[in-house]
Amino acid sequence: MSDKFTMFENRLMKVEKHLRKTARRQGITCFRLYDRDLPEFPLIIELYEDKVYVAEYQSDHKLDDDAYDAWLEESQQVIAKVLNVPRGDLYLRTRQRKQNRQSQYEKLDFSKEELIVQEDGLKFKVNLSDYLDSGLFLDHRITRHMVREEAKDKKVLNLFCYTGSFSVYAAAGGAASVTSIDLSKTYLAWAEENMRLNGLLDPDKHQYIHADVLQHLDELKTNTYDLVVLDPPTFSNSKRMKDFLDIQRDHVELVNKVLMTMKKDGVLYFSNNLRRFELDEPAIHASSIKNITAQTVPFDFQGKLLRHCFRIIK
């Protein structure tokens, strides 16, 4: 084994020992293990109970095809060895650094390697083979718990809901109703399935709306919701969206439109993944804005999380 792979193996052994210990103490079975720690190995490695998900970020590795294939194969061998898992339990995805919202919806594979995992006493379906993301964003683990703690008897709105993990937490917290909106029928069906897995599928209380959020906001009633989750893409030029979304440029209009749908003193959790994002606080029509990014960073994302999170009260 070359020096660089020995270095990779040593790094992986070190973080695995440390993070698994913390995860065990907190009762967490799905967590991020490695996040491009070494520039020679631009990988993200996540554990989903006994399965391993590896996402490779494209980089200028300057390797020809044969050398690249050999690098990728040896990297997987090291990961399987350190984590003591069969190669069949390791799932590899290759992705580019910049993705638009549409690319998340495009299938990469049709092997449909799905499993049910647990988080905070709740069940979620994840797919480690077919899409760019597993279906459960691990970095929002703490934020989801916050929503659950606040949801009792509240009317909840989950915008850009993806696979509905926030919706499940809200419903589990005793929300009076949960409305989940997304542009993807695939993800809305997934959100319903997650609700069903937890015995929370109640059509009289919870609904799923297939719509362009930017357009549908104008159709929602004002002064309706007590608790809203807004986690939009950084950029989106999906053909199915009427407008092009740039979260830095458009966040004031978007957040203020969301606030219009909320009751006085309602709570909005707003997050995004733009590294250099700056919230234009004076332009937001809110009574209180608190940056809660630091307190929503899980142990496995310390020092590596690029997203922002705000708790905004109307």
Side-chain angles (χ1 to χ4, degrees):
M1 187 185 293
S2 68
D3 287 347
K4 71 176 183 179
F5 283 102
T6 300
M7 187 169 62
F8 178 48
E9 182 175 341
N10 289 338
R11 176 63 184 170
L12 211 49
M13 288 172 66
K14 181 180 178 181
V15 297
E16 195 267 349
K17 183 179 180 182
H18 170 64
L19 294 177
R20 197 182 284 277
K21 190 175 179 181
T22 305
R24 195 178 292 120
R25 191 169 64 244
Q26 296 186 16
I28 290 167
T29 57
C30 303
F31 58 95
R32 181 163 293 187
L33 188 66
Y34 174 97
D35 191 340
R36 293 168 284 183
D37 298 28
L38 304 173
E40 300 90 343
F41 296 88
L43 304 169
I44 284 177
I45 304 171
E46 294 177 339
L47 294 185
Y48 288 86
E49 299 186 352
D50 57 350
K51 309 292 185 186
V52 182
Y53 177 78
V54 182
E56 184 221 354
Y57 276 74
Q58 286 195 354
S59 60
D60 187 15
H61 49 64
K62 296 183 172 63
L63 300 174
D64 62 34
D65 288 348
D66 289 343
Y68 169 76
D69 289 344
W71 169 84
L72 196 57
E73 174 59 28
E74 190 163 356
S75 296
Q76 292 177 83
Q77 288 177 12
V78 169
I79 295 166
K81 175 188 172 186
V82 171
L83 301 183
N84 193 28
V85 296
R87 281 292 296 273
D89 287 344
L90 192 155
Y91 299 88
L92 175 70
R93 288 269 64 89
T94 301
R95 59 165 135 188
Q96 298 177 354
R97 284 182 182 162
K98 291 183 179 178
Q99 299 290 344
N100 61 35
R101 184 73 169 183
Q102 174 65 23
S103 65
Q104 284 185 313
Y105 299 142
E106 293 172 353
K107 276 207 166 192
L108 301 179
D109 193 357
F110 291 89
S111 51
K112 206 169 186 181
E113 293 291 340
E114 296 178 349
L115 63 147
I116 307 303
V117 298
Q118 302 240 3
E119 183 186 84
D120 214 356
L122 299 169
K123 297 176 183 176
F124 297 93
K125 182 184 85 172
V126 296
N127 185 316
L128 303 184
S129 61
D130 297 7
Y131 297 92
L132 283 167
D133 292 297
S134 70
L136 185 65
F137 289 132
L138 302 180
D139 63 296
H140 268 307
R141 190 185 303 124
I142 294 173
T143 327
R144 285 191 282 268
H145 185 81
M146 288 179 170
V147 166
R148 183 181 190 169
E149 293 294 296
E150 283 194 73
K152 187 166 177 57
D153 300 325
K154 303 285 178 65
K155 293 191 72 171
V156 179
L157 176 64
N158 186 6
L159 300 166
F160 302 99
C161 75
Y162 187 45
T163 60
S165 55
F166 275 106
S167 300
V168 170
Y169 269 78
S177 67
V178 182
T179 301
S180 306
I181 304 178
D182 201 277
L183 191 57
S184 166
K185 288 182 178 178
T186 299
Y187 284 149
L188 282 171
W190 195 330
E192 283 195 70
E193 192 168 343
N194 279 334
M195 292 285 252
R196 187 182 297 111
L197 282 171
N198 293 281
L200 298 167
L201 196 63
D202 185 342
D204 293 329
K205 292 172 66 174
H206 311 311
Q207 60 175 325
Y208 310 86
I209 299 174
H210 174 234
D212 174 348
V213 169
L214 300 183
Q215 300 301 312
H216 196 72
L217 276 173
D218 295 327
E219 299 175 29
L220 293 174
K221 293 180 181 177
T222 58
N223 304 310
T224 300
Y225 298 98
D226 306 289
L227 181 60
V228 180
V229 176
L230 174 64
D231 186 19
T234 300
F235 298 98
S236 182
N237 58 353
S238 167
K239 292 175 184 175
R240 288 179 293 174
M241 291 181 76
K242 184 177 177 182
D243 297 327
F244 170 76
L245 175 67
D246 175 331
I247 198 58
Q248 183 62 66
R249 181 194 68 194
D250 301 328
H251 77 274
V252 169
E253 181 183 4
L254 178 59
V255 169
N256 283 335
K257 276 189 175 185
V258 172
L259 288 168
M260 287 283 291
T261 71
M262 296 167 58
K263 296 176 185 174
K264 187 178 183 304
D265 298 322
V267 175
L268 166 63
Y269 284 96
F270 167 51
S271 67
N272 70 77
N273 294 310
L274 181 62
R275 181 184 297 202
R276 295 182 176 85
F277 179 77
E278 292 184 14
L279 187 73
D280 185 359
E281 287 198 29
I284 304 294
H285 304 152
S287 63
S288 168
I289 299 175
K290 185 178 181 183
N291 188 330
I292 60 168
T293 303
Q295 58 196 96
T296 59
V297 179
F299 71 93
D300 44 330
F301 287 84
Q302 292 290 336
K304 298 173 182 175
L305 189 57
L306 303 179
R307 68 155 171 77
H308 306 265
C309 193
F310 303 89
R311 187 174 188 271
I312 301 172
I313 300 177
K314 183 172 177 179

